[in-house]
Amino acid sequence: MQKLNHPQIILALDVNTLKEASALVNKLYPRIKIFKVGSHLFTAYGPQIIKLIRAKGGEVFLDLKYFDIPNTVAAAVGEAVRLKVKMLTLHISGGQEMLMAAVSAAKAQSNALKISRPLLIGVTVLTSQKAKSGQVLALAGQGIASGLDGIVCSAQEGEILRNKIKADFVMVTPGIRPDSFGKDDQKRTATVSQAVKSGSDFLVIGRPILKAGDPLTQAKEFLKELSVAQN
Ligand code: C5P
């Protein structure tokens, strides 16, 4: 398993058009190196958006939260490998068989193409929902036991997960908000430094950067907070 030394910020490219997405990547790369493409942008533009980000030097976190029968998810994961995404998400609630099929498809396809395998990241409970105690932990444990590389969770759950799940795993935390910023629809939020302290490897940030008057200045603020928090 790939273990990361320094936590990184991922920009959630939750915008409407290819033009806006392209302008943001131009503005923020190489300070921000990974860009998250979700169902909105991918439904509108498909692989074109992934190729665009990669052509500019950026890496892609494909956040389509796969949840389907094992055969379908395995086939989709194989295609994502072909698109050379750095990481992708699946719903752990899809079950062990689905997760294991995804893991073997990712391995088989990356071996066949002789490229590195994307990190497979499990979604437990969306941060816009209230989680029942134990639910996130049970799902996270199941995901890692099925061979996933990491888990999406709120920074608030991070510390508990690090303590309770023995295996080393990649922690991805959305719901990052500066104290001064509202929560939007996120319920379990944390600041950049809280997320780093909770053991996050990748901090996913969308609206706090996207809605800033100057996204680059805001991104630099977050990066500064990130580097202070690591020391
Ligand atoms: O704008 P904001 O910073 O809230 O964006 C968070 C991003 O992380 C969104 O793209 C959302 O889809 C994603 N996400 C999340 N909670 C999860 C998984 C992904 O908020 N559990």
Side-chain angles (χ1 to χ4, degrees):
M1 158 140 16
Q2 192 173 335
K3 182 62 200 160
L4 302 139
N5 298 320
H6 298 295
Q8 274 181 277
I9 288 177
I10 298 179
L11 178 72
L13 266 182
D14 294 328
V15 293
N16 295 319
T17 65
L18 205 60
K19 204 173 153 198
E20 286 169 272
S22 174
L24 276 161
V25 178
N26 285 344
K27 202 174 285 175
L28 298 174
Y29 182 83
R31 284 189 173 85
I32 302 287
K33 295 188 172 56
I34 311 172
F35 297 86
K36 185 172 84 70
V37 172
S39 49
H40 180 178
L41 215 50
F42 195 79
T43 303
Y45 299 102
Q48 198 186 349
I49 179 65
I50 294 174
K51 288 174 187 155
L52 179 146
I53 294 166
R54 289 187 42 79
K56 292 178 192 295
E59 296 200 271
V60 175
F61 175 14
L62 187 60
D63 185 21
L64 297 180
K65 301 185 177 70
Y66 295 129
F67 189 150
D68 210 318
I69 58 169
N71 188 54
T72 302
V73 169
V77 167
E79 293 303 327
V81 173
R82 198 188 292 279
L83 291 171
K84 300 192 175 83
V85 304
K86 181 184 173 64
M87 48 209 279
L88 62 86
T89 49
L90 326 95
H91 269 287
I92 297 172
S93 332
Q96 193 180 38
E97 205 190 321
M98 183 199 91
L99 300 174
M100 289 171 80
V103 172
S104 34
K107 284 182 182 160
Q109 183 73 298
S110 49
N111 284 342
L113 299 174
K114 297 188 171 55
I115 55 178
S116 56
R117 186 173 71 74
L119 296 172
L120 267 50
I121 307 293
V123 174
T124 56
V125 181
L126 298 174
T127 45
S128 58
Q129 294 178 308
K130 288 204 170 110
K132 291 196 188 101
S133 70
Q135 197 185 358
V136 171
L137 188 60
L139 283 168
Q142 216 175 301
I144 298 304
S146 306
L148 296 185
D149 301 291
I151 301 294
V152 182
C153 63
S154 84
Q156 294 179 17
E157 293 138 6
E159 223 166 313
I160 307 169
L161 292 187
R162 281 268 182 246
N163 291 335
K164 300 260 167 142
I165 299 178
K166 298 289 173 245
D168 209 3
F169 67 94
V170 174
M171 192 191 294
V172 179
T173 56
I176 305 295
R177 291 291 179 276
D179 283 334
S180 58
F181 203 91
K183 291 188 171 204
D184 300 308
D185 52 354
Q186 299 284 17
K187 298 233 163 42
R188 305 191 304 281
T189 61
T191 63
V192 166
S193 34
Q194 285 163 347
V196 171
K197 292 204 174 81
S198 78
S200 176
D201 298 294
F202 293 104
L203 289 72
V204 177
I205 308 182
R207 285 162 291 183
I209 293 178
L210 302 173
K211 286 186 179 172
D214 180 357
L216 180 58
T217 306
Q218 185 56 61
K220 283 184 189 163
E221 282 294 316
F222 283 131
L223 288 165
K224 208 181 346 167
E225 190 180 343
L226 185 75
S227 96
V228 170
Q230 284 176 73
N231 298 318

